Amino acid sequence: MAGGEGPVAGAAECREHLFKVLVIGELGVGKTSIIKRYVHQLFSQHYRATIGVDFALKVINWDSKTLVRLQLWDIAGQERFGNMTRVYYKEAVGAFVVFDVTRGSTFEAVSKWKHDLDSKVLLPNGSPIPAVLLANKCDQKKDGSQNPSQMDQFCREGGFVGWFETSAKDNINIDEAARFLVENILANYKTFPNEENDVGKPKLDLDPLKAESKSQCC
């Protein structure tokens, strides 16, 4: 069901996946900047605070037989305990949890975000969705930098599949972190029920997102 996307066009066995990925964390940690860098290769110092939720779509020719559409949901930092987050999180299959390495309070909030995530969305088999921790703004690192072995332990204990130091400004590890998360999503996807029947179907029923997705095919 490829629609003319490069070498995958016309391949009978081609698979298309639409994955909803959440980007969550405290206000001002750089969630919007990370998404803009990843999707549009842009960076600005002056993004306004996201109100509610914002969306972006990244289309990836994963391999010769697989097209992945990543629907990135930029969840506002102040929304964590709002009633709307359950709606925002629905049907997500992966997440980035972001903190700012220059602000210790944003790291302290990571566990609250992860708990909130796990309480509101699960994979079809009942497991937590894969979450990658992003230590953002590493280009501005201060003395209280994260110790790698401590971060590894924190991720193991907190249920994160991994972590990356990132900088949207200097484009450090953004693509690598996204590829790592997609690898984890695809590994889980093989165990999802009715995978064969889901290929090519929109997974979400939000009209603007359908329109945006459709504009990328054919």
Side-chain angles (χ1 to χ4, degrees):
M1 287 203 41
E5 294 279 353
V8 298
E13 70 275 26
C14 174
R15 291 180 174 277
E16 285 193 25
H17 300 299
L18 175 61
F19 294 141
K20 176 177 175 178
V21 171
L22 308 174
V23 185
I24 58 179
E26 292 294 280
L27 188 67
V29 295
K31 300 184 296 295
T32 301
S33 295
I34 287 169
I35 292 173
K36 297 282 194 205
R37 167 64 78 181
Y38 180 54
V39 175
H40 304 295
Q41 292 302 309
L42 297 174
F43 177 79
S44 170
Q45 301 275 17
H46 305 294
Y47 292 125
R48 293 172 297 181
T50 303
I51 306 300
V53 64
D54 200 3
F55 313 98
L57 185 72
K58 175 79 169 182
V59 180
I60 308 165
N61 288 305
W62 187 256
D63 58 32
S64 62
K65 298 179 181 178
T66 312
L67 186 77
V68 172
R69 301 177 194 280
L70 275 194
Q71 212 170 53
L72 296 153
W73 288 49
D74 182 358
I75 309 294
Q78 67 269 35
E79 289 291 327
R80 181 174 72 234
F81 300 116
N83 292 329
M84 287 299 291
T85 53
R86 191 173 296 276
V87 177
Y88 295 158
Y89 290 9
K90 186 180 178 184
E91 295 184 0
V93 294
F96 291 115
V97 182
V98 187
F99 73 97
D100 177 348
V101 297
T102 69
R103 291 160 55 212
S105 61
T106 65
F107 178 68
E108 293 165 11
V110 161
S111 294
K112 296 176 185 174
W113 279 99
K114 182 65 163 66
H115 181 268
D116 191 55
L117 179 71
D118 293 345
S119 71
K120 291 178 178 174
V121 61
L122 295 169
L123 294 175
N125 64 5
S127 302
I129 67 173
V132 173
L133 181 62
L134 301 184
N136 195 38
K137 304 189 185 180
C138 67
D139 57 286
Q140 303 177 30
K141 215 164 206 188
K142 302 285 170 60
D143 291 338
S145 59
Q146 308 304 315
N147 179 293
S149 61
Q150 291 177 342
M151 288 293 290
D152 290 343
Q153 182 177 353
F154 177 83
C155 286
R156 282 194 300 271
E157 294 174 352
F160 291 92
V161 294
W163 70 282
F164 290 81
E165 289 187 317
T166 58
S167 167
K169 180 180 179 182
D170 292 345
N171 197 16
I172 297 171
N173 279 342
I174 305 292
D175 288 348
E176 291 82 355
R179 185 164 189 89
F180 179 75
L181 181 59
V182 172
E183 285 172 351
N184 277 272
I185 293 170
L186 285 169
N188 286 327
Y189 198 77
K190 293 173 184 175
T191 69
F192 291 177
N194 301 320
E195 182 195 354
E196 293 295 330
N197 299 327
D198 288 341
V199 175
K201 287 185 182 177
K203 293 195 173 303
L204 305 167
D205 53 5
L206 296 175
D207 289 336
L209 298 180
K210 279 189 195 173
E212 188 176 9
S213 297
K214 287 177 182 173
S215 71
Q216 296 287 340
C217 17
C218 305

